[in-house]
Amino acid sequence: MPFNSERFKQIVTYLKEICGLRSRDLFHPIRLSLAGRIGEGELDRVVLLLDEAATLPFAVPAKSVRTRILEFCSALD
């Protein structure tokens, strides 16, 4: 399933229900894993830009949202 704005909202809703996390405690690690730093902005817009960029032929490929999240989670183990 493509990682788009709707999928992002579904995952956030799921995480809120399962983990019981809210606001900063939830979005801080998500923002860190996707953008590589803490900051402001609309995460769903970042998600759409990352996956679109991952399909483009840049000299240095952009990582998809899925790849970024997997790398972030594996670093936590």
Side-chain angles (χ1 to χ4, degrees):
M1 173 181 276
F3 209 99
N4 56 26
S5 186
E6 187 58 37
R7 181 70 176 135
F8 177 72
K9 289 175 188 173
Q10 291 171 349
I11 290 171
V12 167
T13 300
Y14 176 79
L15 289 172
K16 284 179 179 179
E17 292 171 1
I18 297 301
C19 299
L21 298 174
R22 299 284 180 237
S23 297
R24 179 177 239 154
D25 293 335
L26 178 62
F27 289 104
H28 180 82
I30 292 173
R31 187 179 308 279
L32 184 60
S33 68
L34 295 180
R37 62 184 220 171
I38 306 308
E40 298 296 322
E42 297 293 329
L43 279 174
D44 59 341
R45 291 181 187 169
V46 172
V47 167
L48 295 175
L49 291 173
L50 288 173
D51 269 6
E52 185 176 326
T55 65
L56 299 174
F58 293 124
V60 176
K63 294 178 184 178
S64 70
V65 169
R66 183 179 190 281
T67 300
R68 288 170 185 264
I69 290 175
L70 289 173
E71 287 177 359
F72 181 79
C73 290
S74 69
L76 296 175
D77 287 341

